[in-house]
Amino acid sequence: MRIGIVGFPTPGGSGVVAAELAAGLAARGHAVHLLTTGTPHRELRAPSLRVHVVDAAPHPVLGHPDVALALASRIVDVARQEGLEIVNVHYAAPHALSAFLAARALGPSPPRVVVSLHGTDVTRLGADPSYRSALSFLICTADAVTVPSQFLADQARSVFEIEGSVDVIPNFVDVERFRPAEKRDIEFWRTLFPGMEPEAPLLVHVSNFRPIKRTLDLVEVLARVRRRLPARMILVGDGPERKRTEARAWELGIADAVRFLGTTSDLASIVRQADLFVVTSESESFCLAALEALACGVPVIGYRVGGLPELVTEEVGRLVPPFSVEALAGAAIELLQSPARAEMARKARARAEAQYRPGPALDRYESLFRRVLVEQEGR
Ligand code: GMT
């Protein structure tokens, strides 16, 4: 197939899924074009993948960028040159608008449009009356819609009044890149926490520090865990709530036990060193970062929200009532002290390998794309 995939270049989950999907399908021999507004965050192992970086700088005439228009124009150009049959956009805004415009511009036999929803495009933008009507139109007129969890399928159906099918295709993980540590690298940890006790528990969090991640809760949890255990925490990523979270760590007197690493491309080597992965999100459609932790053999704790219960079962972690930092700290203390954690770590890895390898997810995107092409022929 000749496929265009549109996604953000940022480290967020939807951009990672778009880029890994594009690379995976290119490696299977499809002609794949990734259209994005910056260099993809992760290294993509697929020499045949064509990446088209669309200029999203402010336009001198407008004084601001019009990303939707710039992407739409590039989709039209690539579709004309390469004969794209499918355009699969990841995250509804503005990508679904760009794909819709491009399809209209491409005349009587345009590429089929598949919209992959990822989370806040439904739960936040879809819930916002300023955006809902237009998004609902774009999603309902697409040839197919995908979501990463049953939770988001239900939300999307109700928010956008989708009558057709919604395909649940869970996030997937490269289990070679995200694999368990052979042993704890105490030297690595001591570069971050000089003098750290060799057996001190290690907690890790990865996010974009948006308000929806409730990152202040992370340091509240750590402060409570540290009343019982000499735990340390590493926070990977960057975003609007980082400064407030750092300030709260100082107020709580635990700044020496927390390190903020910012955005790093070598995520796996950090995550695999942890004893627990902590998510404090108010909502998650899936939580790719938690899946990457499971693949590293790291159990996950978090609030019972959104699609997290579909991923984090009792065998591989603990979910507690939202938004109790006491309960989350209690779960962390219980697991860190439990001899059963090693078995949980093994099951975490086994779950990622058995259910979330890239292969089955790529199969499902492939068969969905084939299905919409066949439906088109039948029209
Ligand atoms: O979590 C974020 O804020 C980033 C966001 C995105 O759009 O890139 O992630 C969303 O998509 C991921 C890939 O499908 C999911 O794993 C995340 O759970 C989802 N985030 C939310 O629902 C908040």
Side-chain angles (χ1 to χ4, degrees):
M1 285 178 279
R2 295 182 299 278
I3 304 163
I5 292 186
V6 180
F8 293 119
T10 45
S14 68
V16 172
V17 170
E20 299 277 355
L21 172 63
L25 292 175
R28 286 183 173 195
H30 300 289
V32 185
H33 297 262
L34 177 64
L35 294 98
T36 177
T37 51
T39 308
H41 180 68
R42 290 195 184 173
E43 180 206 346
L44 298 170
R45 298 171 192 157
S48 63
L49 174 66
R50 298 269 305 279
V51 180
H52 304 262
V53 177
V54 175
D55 185 2
H59 193 281
V61 170
L62 297 172
H64 60 83
D66 195 321
V67 178
L69 271 187
L71 267 171
S73 291
R74 187 63 77 90
I75 296 170
V76 171
D77 296 343
V78 174
R80 283 197 179 127
Q81 278 158 19
E82 309 289 340
L84 295 183
E85 298 165 287
I86 296 281
V87 175
N88 173 211
V89 297
H90 287 260
Y91 203 88
H95 302 152
L97 175 59
S98 306
F100 174 81
L101 273 177
R104 289 300 295 265
L106 284 161
S109 312
R112 301 288 92 188
V113 173
V114 177
V115 176
S116 293
L117 300 169
H118 281 276
T120 46
D121 44 0
V122 179
T123 57
R124 293 293 195 264
L125 296 177
D128 186 335
S130 314
Y131 290 86
R132 189 191 305 126
S133 303
L135 280 178
S136 178
F137 169 79
L138 292 168
I139 289 157
C140 292
T141 50
D143 296 291
V145 177
T146 80
V147 289
S149 62
Q150 192 54 49
F151 160 78
L152 201 64
D154 297 341
Q155 291 280 309
R157 272 209 190 85
S158 115
V159 167
F160 296 126
E161 299 178 15
I162 303 172
E163 283 172 6
S165 65
V166 174
D167 285 66
V168 179
I169 308 182
N171 290 175
F172 52 92
V173 63
D174 177 346
V175 292
E176 313 304 329
R177 189 182 297 182
F178 289 89
R179 60 176 194 283
E182 277 156 28
K183 62 177 178 52
R184 173 176 282 203
D185 183 355
I186 187 67
E187 291 317 315
F188 165 77
W189 289 97
R190 282 196 173 141
T191 58
L192 297 171
F193 301 106
M196 191 181 97
E197 312 78 346
E199 297 309 320
L202 303 164
L203 309 179
V204 168
H205 170 83
V206 179
S207 78
N208 54 19
F209 286 75
R210 297 242 169 89
I212 198 170
K213 304 294 177 181
R214 295 180 67 98
T215 53
L216 287 177
D217 288 12
L218 293 165
V219 285
E220 297 290 344
V221 167
L222 182 66
R224 285 158 178 78
V225 173
R226 280 181 63 82
R227 289 177 199 150
R228 299 280 295 277
L229 301 165
R232 309 292 202 280
M233 185 182 275
I234 283 192
L235 293 91
V236 182
D238 211 342
E241 289 291 291
R242 176 170 163 180
K243 281 217 153 45
R244 250 164 39 99
T245 312
E246 286 185 74
R248 186 68 187 135
W250 281 100
E251 280 167 16
L252 289 165
I254 56 164
D256 282 350
V258 187
R259 291 291 176 269
F260 292 79
L261 297 192
T263 304
T264 161
S265 52
D266 196 11
L267 202 54
S269 68
I270 296 166
V271 173
R272 71 167 66 98
Q273 287 292 327
D275 295 307
L276 279 184
F277 186 89
V278 192
V279 196
T280 42
S281 301
E282 193 175 313
S283 178
E284 282 291 342
S285 69
F286 183 91
C287 199
L288 179 60
L291 172 59
E292 291 171 343
L294 296 181
C296 290
V298 179
V300 174
I301 60 169
Y303 298 128
R304 193 169 298 111
V305 292
L308 271 176
E310 296 172 48
L311 174 68
V312 183
T313 57
E314 278 286 301
E315 286 196 320
V316 301
R318 287 280 179 281
L319 296 179
V320 305
F323 298 99
S324 167
V325 287
E326 301 296 340
L328 204 48
I333 293 165
E334 182 214 317
L335 291 185
L336 290 170
Q337 291 183 320
S338 165
R341 191 165 42 81
E343 179 60 5
M344 196 175 248
R346 198 192 58 71
K347 286 183 172 157
R349 170 70 184 175
R351 180 164 171 74
E353 284 189 302
Q355 301 208 21
Y356 298 103
R357 283 175 179 273
L362 295 182
D363 292 345
R364 294 181 63 188
Y365 280 104
E366 256 181 345
S367 56
L368 172 63
F369 295 168
R370 290 214 165 91
R371 189 181 87 207
V372 296
L373 289 176
V374 168
E375 282 167 5
Q376 176 190 23
E377 279 166 20
R379 279 182 197 166

Short mmCIF file of all heavy atoms in Angstrom, two decimals, residues 237-268:
data_model
loop_
_atom_site.label_atom_id
_atom_site.label_comp_id
_atom_site.label_asym_id
_atom_site.label_seq_id
_atom_site.Cartn_x
_atom_site.Cartn_y
_atom_site.Cartn_z
N GLY A 237 11.20 14.13 31.33
CA GLY A 237 10.26 14.89 30.50
C GLY A 237 10.26 16.35 30.92
O GLY A 237 10.93 16.74 31.89
N ASP A 238 9.50 17.12 30.20
CA ASP A 238 9.46 18.55 30.48
C ASP A 238 8.09 19.10 30.10
O ASP A 238 7.41 18.51 29.26
CB ASP A 238 10.54 19.25 29.64
CG ASP A 238 11.08 20.46 30.36
OD1 ASP A 238 10.41 20.93 31.30
OD2 ASP A 238 12.16 20.94 30.00
N GLY A 239 7.73 20.21 30.71
CA GLY A 239 6.44 20.80 30.38
C GLY A 239 6.04 21.84 31.41
O GLY A 239 6.81 22.15 32.33
N PRO A 240 4.83 22.36 31.26
CA PRO A 240 4.42 23.53 32.05
C PRO A 240 4.42 23.34 33.57
O PRO A 240 4.59 24.32 34.29
CB PRO A 240 3.00 23.83 31.54
CG PRO A 240 2.63 22.74 30.62
CD PRO A 240 3.84 21.97 30.25
N GLU A 241 4.23 22.13 34.06
CA GLU A 241 4.12 21.93 35.52
C GLU A 241 5.46 21.60 36.17
O GLU A 241 5.52 21.39 37.38
CB GLU A 241 3.14 20.79 35.82
CG GLU A 241 1.70 21.14 35.55
CD GLU A 241 1.16 22.17 36.53
OE1 GLU A 241 1.00 21.83 37.71
OE2 GLU A 241 0.93 23.32 36.13
N ARG A 242 6.53 21.55 35.38
CA ARG A 242 7.81 21.10 35.95
C ARG A 242 8.30 22.02 37.08
O ARG A 242 8.69 21.55 38.15
CB ARG A 242 8.86 20.99 34.85
CG ARG A 242 10.22 20.63 35.38
CD ARG A 242 11.19 20.30 34.30
NE ARG A 242 12.55 20.36 34.80
CZ ARG A 242 13.60 20.11 34.06
NH1 ARG A 242 13.47 19.76 32.80
NH2 ARG A 242 14.81 20.18 34.58
N LYS A 243 8.25 23.32 36.83
CA LYS A 243 8.80 24.27 37.84
C LYS A 243 8.03 24.16 39.16
O LYS A 243 8.61 24.15 40.24
CB LYS A 243 8.70 25.70 37.31
CG LYS A 243 9.78 26.04 36.33
CD LYS A 243 10.26 27.49 36.50
CE LYS A 243 11.69 27.69 36.05
NZ LYS A 243 12.00 27.07 34.77
N ARG A 244 6.69 24.09 39.05
CA ARG A 244 5.87 23.99 40.26
C ARG A 244 6.17 22.69 41.01
O ARG A 244 6.17 22.65 42.23
CB ARG A 244 4.39 24.00 39.88
CG ARG A 244 3.70 25.29 40.31
CD ARG A 244 2.38 25.55 39.68
NE ARG A 244 1.47 24.45 39.47
CZ ARG A 244 0.44 24.13 40.27
NH1 ARG A 244 0.22 24.80 41.37
NH2 ARG A 244 -0.37 23.16 39.94
N THR A 245 6.44 21.63 40.25
CA THR A 245 6.72 20.34 40.87
C THR A 245 8.08 20.40 41.59
O THR A 245 8.22 19.91 42.72
CB THR A 245 6.70 19.22 39.81
OG1 THR A 245 5.51 19.36 39.03
CG2 THR A 245 6.73 17.84 40.44
N GLU A 246 9.06 21.05 40.94
CA GLU A 246 10.38 21.20 41.57
C GLU A 246 10.24 22.03 42.86
O GLU A 246 10.81 21.68 43.89
CB GLU A 246 11.35 21.91 40.62
CG GLU A 246 11.82 21.02 39.48
CD GLU A 246 12.88 21.70 38.61
OE1 GLU A 246 14.02 21.83 39.06
OE2 GLU A 246 12.55 22.10 37.49
N ALA A 247 9.45 23.10 42.77
CA ALA A 247 9.28 23.98 43.94
C ALA A 247 8.63 23.22 45.09
O ALA A 247 9.02 23.35 46.25
CB ALA A 247 8.45 25.20 43.56
N ARG A 248 7.64 22.37 44.76
CA ARG A 248 6.95 21.60 45.80
C ARG A 248 7.90 20.59 46.46
O ARG A 248 7.82 20.36 47.67
CB ARG A 248 5.72 20.89 45.19
CG ARG A 248 4.85 20.18 46.18
CD ARG A 248 4.14 21.15 47.12
NE ARG A 248 3.42 20.44 48.17
CZ ARG A 248 3.43 20.77 49.47
NH1 ARG A 248 4.10 21.83 49.90
NH2 ARG A 248 2.76 20.07 50.36
N ALA A 249 8.81 20.02 45.66
CA ALA A 249 9.79 19.09 46.23
C ALA A 249 10.66 19.80 47.26
O ALA A 249 10.96 19.25 48.33
CB ALA A 249 10.65 18.47 45.12
N TRP A 250 11.04 21.06 46.97
CA TRP A 250 11.82 21.84 47.95
C TRP A 250 10.98 22.09 49.20
O TRP A 250 11.47 21.91 50.32
CB TRP A 250 12.27 23.17 47.33
CG TRP A 250 13.46 22.99 46.44
CD1 TRP A 250 13.47 22.92 45.09
CD2 TRP A 250 14.83 22.83 46.86
NE1 TRP A 250 14.74 22.73 44.62
CE2 TRP A 250 15.61 22.67 45.69
CE3 TRP A 250 15.47 22.80 48.11
CZ2 TRP A 250 16.99 22.48 45.72
CZ3 TRP A 250 16.85 22.61 48.13
CH2 TRP A 250 17.60 22.46 46.95
N GLU A 251 9.73 22.50 49.01
CA GLU A 251 8.86 22.79 50.17
C GLU A 251 8.70 21.56 51.06
O GLU A 251 8.63 21.66 52.28
CB GLU A 251 7.46 23.20 49.69
CG GLU A 251 7.35 24.64 49.25
CD GLU A 251 6.02 24.88 48.50
OE1 GLU A 251 5.09 24.05 48.60
OE2 GLU A 251 5.95 25.89 47.80
N LEU A 252 8.62 20.40 50.42
CA LEU A 252 8.41 19.17 51.19
C LEU A 252 9.72 18.65 51.80
O LEU A 252 9.71 17.66 52.53
CB LEU A 252 7.83 18.08 50.27
CG LEU A 252 6.38 18.28 49.81
CD1 LEU A 252 6.05 17.36 48.64
CD2 LEU A 252 5.41 18.01 50.98
N GLY A 253 10.84 19.32 51.47
CA GLY A 253 12.13 18.92 52.03
C GLY A 253 12.69 17.66 51.41
O GLY A 253 13.50 16.96 52.04
N ILE A 254 12.27 17.34 50.20
CA ILE A 254 12.75 16.09 49.57
C ILE A 254 13.51 16.37 48.27
O ILE A 254 13.73 15.46 47.47
CB ILE A 254 11.59 15.10 49.28
CG1 ILE A 254 10.52 15.78 48.41
CG2 ILE A 254 11.01 14.54 50.57
CD1 ILE A 254 9.56 14.80 47.77
N ALA A 255 13.93 17.63 48.06
CA ALA A 255 14.57 17.98 46.78
C ALA A 255 15.81 17.11 46.52
O ALA A 255 16.10 16.77 45.37
CB ALA A 255 14.94 19.46 46.76
N ASP A 256 16.51 16.72 47.59
CA ASP A 256 17.71 15.89 47.39
C ASP A 256 17.40 14.49 46.92
O ASP A 256 18.28 13.76 46.47
CB ASP A 256 18.49 15.78 48.71
CG ASP A 256 19.27 17.05 48.99
OD1 ASP A 256 19.34 17.89 48.07
OD2 ASP A 256 19.79 17.19 50.12
N ALA A 257 16.14 14.10 47.09
CA ALA A 257 15.76 12.72 46.72
C ALA A 257 15.08 12.67 45.36
O ALA A 257 14.60 11.61 44.94
CB ALA A 257 14.83 12.14 47.79
N VAL A 258 15.01 13.81 44.67
CA VAL A 258 14.32 13.87 43.36
C VAL A 258 15.26 14.46 42.33
O VAL A 258 15.97 15.42 42.62
CB VAL A 258 13.07 14.79 43.44
CG1 VAL A 258 12.26 14.71 42.15
CG2 VAL A 258 12.20 14.43 44.62
N ARG A 259 15.25 13.91 41.13
CA ARG A 259 16.01 14.50 40.02
C ARG A 259 15.09 14.69 38.83
O ARG A 259 14.35 13.77 38.47
CB ARG A 259 17.19 13.61 39.62
CG ARG A 259 18.28 13.54 40.64
CD ARG A 259 19.03 14.88 40.78
NE ARG A 259 20.04 14.83 41.84
CZ ARG A 259 19.82 15.17 43.12
NH1 ARG A 259 18.63 15.59 43.50
NH2 ARG A 259 20.79 15.08 44.01
N PHE A 260 15.16 15.87 38.24
CA PHE A 260 14.38 16.18 37.04
C PHE A 260 15.35 16.12 35.87
O PHE A 260 16.24 16.96 35.76
CB PHE A 260 13.76 17.59 37.15
CG PHE A 260 12.70 17.69 38.20
CD1 PHE A 260 13.04 17.83 39.54
CD2 PHE A 260 11.37 17.64 37.87
CE1 PHE A 260 12.07 17.92 40.52
CE2 PHE A 260 10.37 17.73 38.84
CZ PHE A 260 10.73 17.87 40.17
N LEU A 261 15.20 15.15 35.00
CA LEU A 261 16.18 14.95 33.93
C LEU A 261 15.81 15.67 32.63
O LEU A 261 16.62 15.70 31.71
CB LEU A 261 16.35 13.46 33.62
CG LEU A 261 16.88 12.58 34.74
CD1 LEU A 261 17.27 11.21 34.18
CD2 LEU A 261 18.08 13.20 35.45
N GLY A 262 14.60 16.20 32.53
CA GLY A 262 14.19 16.80 31.26
C GLY A 262 13.94 15.72 30.22
O GLY A 262 13.85 14.53 30.54
N THR A 263 13.87 16.16 28.97
CA THR A 263 13.58 15.20 27.89
C THR A 263 14.86 14.49 27.51
O THR A 263 15.89 15.12 27.33
CB THR A 263 13.00 15.95 26.68
OG1 THR A 263 11.86 16.69 27.13
CG2 THR A 263 12.58 15.00 25.59
N THR A 264 14.79 13.18 27.41
CA THR A 264 15.97 12.41 27.02
C THR A 264 15.57 11.37 25.99
O THR A 264 14.46 10.84 26.03
CB THR A 264 16.63 11.70 28.23
OG1 THR A 264 17.45 10.65 27.76
CG2 THR A 264 15.61 11.12 29.19
N SER A 265 16.48 11.10 25.07
CA SER A 265 16.15 10.09 24.05
C SER A 265 16.46 8.70 24.58
O SER A 265 15.99 7.70 24.05
CB SER A 265 16.90 10.37 22.75
OG SER A 265 18.26 10.50 23.03
N ASP A 266 17.28 8.61 25.65
CA ASP A 266 17.66 7.28 26.14
C ASP A 266 16.77 6.87 27.32
O ASP A 266 17.24 6.56 28.42
CB ASP A 266 19.13 7.26 26.55
CG ASP A 266 19.64 5.84 26.67
OD1 ASP A 266 18.92 4.91 26.26
OD2 ASP A 266 20.74 5.65 27.22
N LEU A 267 15.46 6.86 27.03
CA LEU A 267 14.48 6.59 28.06
C LEU A 267 14.62 5.18 28.65
O LEU A 267 14.59 4.99 29.86
CB LEU A 267 13.12 6.71 27.36
CG LEU A 267 11.89 6.98 28.15
CD1 LEU A 267 12.10 8.21 29.00
CD2 LEU A 267 10.72 7.19 27.20
N ALA A 268 14.80 4.20 27.77
CA ALA A 268 14.77 2.80 28.22
C ALA A 268 15.84 2.54 29.27
O ALA A 268 15.58 1.85 30.27
CB ALA A 268 14.94 1.88 27.02
#
